[in-house]
């Protein structure tokens, strides 16, 4: 790596594996781009500014769990769509004269999710149960609304913005929502045997089960849905599409 090499990266905790690091470094190599993509495992978001000062060649970075919302107070500017969502997964760094920097936040998750679920949808109307209330769920919610899908939010506990707890998911509720999206980390490697506690016996061939998790390829959530005849999809294509959009953001003027 030369001293002129641009840097990009990912912040989160923990970073046990990183699709983004592998994807971008392979892209840089194949396209002969003088850049490197690094993982920054921050145990606290308060470590961000020190990390930035130690990497003056950093041009932008992705944000993953648990910092998609925590990053917002550190930004100088936020894109309107990311502001609407209330979560940021892409930060572009503007280098100013004198060594100062400005941070602008974006959200490419909603683009990745929207463009990957649309091919699965037959003619509507559609209603979705969105499992989880974290930063990823906010992007999913905005994406589904943008394509005319009615949304109900599901969480372990009732709180503002939540429509159902898992215990409230009756046969009637399940059959009136043909899309179920898991935005939680439940079922992610190495805890692959776990799954969100929904009543899978009420899943039908008319359902779509979409899991934002991509490791393992087939989660327990997806397998239990497929056993009932449902269409299933993991989050790999969403991840690819949001990575494309991240690069477009970083390279835009």
């Amino acid at each position: 790596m030369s001293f002129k090499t641009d840097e990009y990266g990912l912040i989160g905790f923990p970073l046990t594996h990183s699709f983004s690091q592998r994807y971008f470094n392979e892209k840089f190599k194949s396209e002969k781009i003088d850049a490197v993509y690094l993982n920054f495992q921050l145990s606290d978001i308060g470590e961000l500014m020190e990390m930035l000062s130690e990497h003056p060649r950093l041009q932008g970075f992705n944000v993953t769990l648990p910092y998609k919302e925590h990053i917002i107070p550190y930004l100088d500017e936020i894109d309107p769509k990311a502001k609407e969502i209330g979560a940021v997964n892409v930060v572009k760094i503007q280098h100013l004269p004198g060594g100062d920097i400005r941070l602008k936040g974006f959200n490419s998750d909603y683009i990745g999710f929207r463009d990957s679920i649309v091919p699965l949808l037959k003619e509507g109307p559609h209603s979705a149960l969105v499992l989880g209330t974290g930063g990823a769920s906010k992007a999913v919610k905005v994406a589904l609304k943008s394509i005319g899908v009615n949304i109900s939010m599901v969480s372990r506990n009732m709180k503002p913005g939540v429509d159902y707890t898992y215990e409230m998911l009756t046969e009637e509720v399940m059959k009136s929502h043909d899309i179920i999206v898991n935005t939680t980390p439940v079922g992610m490697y190495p805890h692959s045997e776990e799954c969100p506690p929904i009543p899978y016996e009420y899943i039908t061939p008319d359902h779509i089960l979409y899991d934002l998790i991509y490791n393992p390829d087939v989660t327990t959530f997806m397998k239990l849905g497929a056993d009932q005849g449902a269409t299933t999809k993991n989050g790999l294509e969403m991840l690819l599409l949001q990575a494309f959009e991240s690069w477009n953001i970083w390279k835009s003027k």
Side-chain angles (χ1 to χ4, degrees), residues 52 58-61 91-95 101-104:
L52 292 173
L58 197 64
Q59 307 301 310
F61 57 92
V91 175
K92 182 175 182 176
I93 301 174
Q94 180 184 8
H95 292 270
I101 61 172
R102 280 180 56 82
L103 305 179
K104 183 172 181 179

Side-chain angles (χ1 to χ4, degrees), residues 70-130:
H70 298 161
I71 189 72
I72 292 175
Y74 291 86
L75 303 175
D76 299 292
E77 188 179 355
I78 184 167
D79 175 77
K81 183 60 72 172
K83 189 171 185 179
E84 176 190 352
I85 294 167
V88 164
N89 75 305
V90 185
V91 175
K92 182 175 182 176
I93 301 174
Q94 180 184 8
H95 292 270
L96 305 174
D100 291 335
I101 61 172
R102 280 180 56 82
L103 305 179
K104 183 172 181 179
F106 299 83
N107 192 298
S108 64
D109 280 337
Y110 89 97
I111 295 173
F113 177 77
R114 180 196 67 198
D115 292 355
S116 63
I117 197 170
V118 163
L120 301 180
L121 301 180
K122 299 174 183 176
E123 190 172 348
H126 299 283
S127 295
L129 293 173
V130 178

